[in-house]
Amino acid sequence: AQSVTQPDIHITVSEGASLELRCNYSYGATPYLFWYVQSPGQGLQLLLKYFSGDTLVQGIKGFEAEFKRSQSSFNLRKPSVHWSDAAEYFCAVGASISGYSTLTFGKGTMLLVSP
Amino acid sequence: KAGVTQTPRYLIKTRGQQVTLSCSPISGHRSVSWYQQTPGQGLQFLFEYFSETQRNKGNFPGRFSGRQFSNSRSEMNVSTLELGDSALYLCASSFGRDEQYFGPGTRLTVT
């Protein structure tokens, strides 16, 4: 069974500083990987996805993520954080056999942005 | 194109009652998935429907059930509510085997 680990429960970053959120997955086959963001009281918004091909994927709002098979990681990055980026971020893996309609999520990382 | 809509947005029920939540997917999306989100357990997959058939099911008791209609709209039902069922219930739709788009959720509080 697949699993996702997000080691950091909370991260505080100064506005304008760079950001990296860590995600490690466990899956026996080729994973399909996603990053979602959730603002308080809201649903999840897809930031980016990795299915195959180029291991560096670009997403919305200036985010990018790099798939590293050797490290089973899919870390999310942003070069300069804005106060509006404060939210909870979820990494998820979809099963490539049964399709992407079943996602396994990590516990999430809460991003706090300080002035 | 309109996004995924969920009704109601907020709901308060008493232990032992039952509840039905509704989800309307993005037009053209045939797959609808349901997730439960709680502070302790995080996001957990409940079930997925495709063309009116339950295709996948998570590890939840039989009190949790769902269905999908011919227009792809979906409902989930929880019977004999327990305090632990208090959660944000999220619905997501996808087109075939594509990424999932989430609705705003229904906040269920069981007292």
Side-chain angles (χ1 to χ4, degrees):
Chain A
Q2 64 250 39
S3 65
V4 177
T5 301
Q6 293 180 247
D8 304 304
I9 299 175
H10 296 98
I11 280 187
T12 300
V13 175
S14 299
E15 189 168 16
S18 64
L19 168 71
E20 183 169 29
L21 302 182
R22 296 183 291 166
C23 171
N24 292 97
Y25 67 90
S26 173
Y27 186 62
T30 302
Y32 295 96
L33 297 161
F34 307 84
W35 275 99
Y36 285 86
V37 61
Q38 185 179 36
S39 297
Q42 301 298 314
L44 303 174
Q45 181 183 23
L46 179 68
L47 287 175
L48 47 77
K49 62 188 180 186
Y50 171 77
F51 288 167
S52 64
D54 193 350
T55 56
L56 184 63
V57 294
Q58 303 296 321
I60 62 171
K61 304 184 180 185
F63 286 93
E64 66 177 28
E66 186 172 12
F67 170 62
K68 292 185 178 180
R69 184 186 300 274
S70 61
Q71 299 177 19
S72 298
S73 69
F74 188 58
N75 294 348
L76 182 71
R77 301 193 294 247
K78 186 171 185 178
S80 178
V81 168
H82 188 261
W83 64 267
S84 60
D85 293 324
E88 190 158 22
Y89 291 79
F90 294 91
C91 181
V93 61
S96 60
I97 296 175
S98 65
Y100 322 144
S101 49
T102 303
L103 295 178
T104 299
F105 286 88
K107 295 291 191 184
T109 298
M110 182 66 73
L111 173 64
L112 307 173
V113 181
S114 60
Chain B
K1 190 181 275 191
V4 178
T5 58
Q6 293 186 244
T7 56
R9 291 292 311 276
Y10 303 91
L11 205 49
I12 300 175
K13 290 286 188 178
T14 304
R15 262 184 311 175
Q17 289 185 316
Q18 75 164 16
V19 67
T20 299
L21 312 182
S22 180
C23 172
S24 293
I26 292 171
S27 177
H29 286 192
R30 296 167 63 189
S31 172
V32 173
S33 299
W34 289 89
Y35 295 84
Q36 182 196 64
Q37 185 178 25
T38 60
Q41 299 300 316
L43 280 152
Q44 297 184 90
F45 171 73
L46 279 157
F47 28 65
E48 184 237 352
Y49 287 87
F50 182 84
S51 293
E52 302 179 64
T53 301
Q54 187 180 89
R55 195 162 61 171
N56 293 303
K57 189 178 191 306
N59 188 25
F60 277 82
R63 300 185 297 108
F64 291 81
S65 63
R67 60 178 175 169
Q68 187 180 34
F69 302 95
S70 58
N71 61 359
S72 294
R73 190 177 69 85
S74 178
E75 290 180 346
M76 67 163 282
N77 183 276
V78 188
S79 62
T80 320
L81 283 166
E82 300 177 358
L83 294 179
D85 297 332
S86 294
L88 181 67
Y89 289 89
L90 292 164
C91 166
S93 75
S94 62
F95 178 77
R97 298 177 65 180
D98 207 341
E99 65 264 24
Q100 296 182 41
Y101 294 87
F102 283 79
T106 294
R107 173 73 63 185
L108 172 64
T109 301
V110 182
T111 61

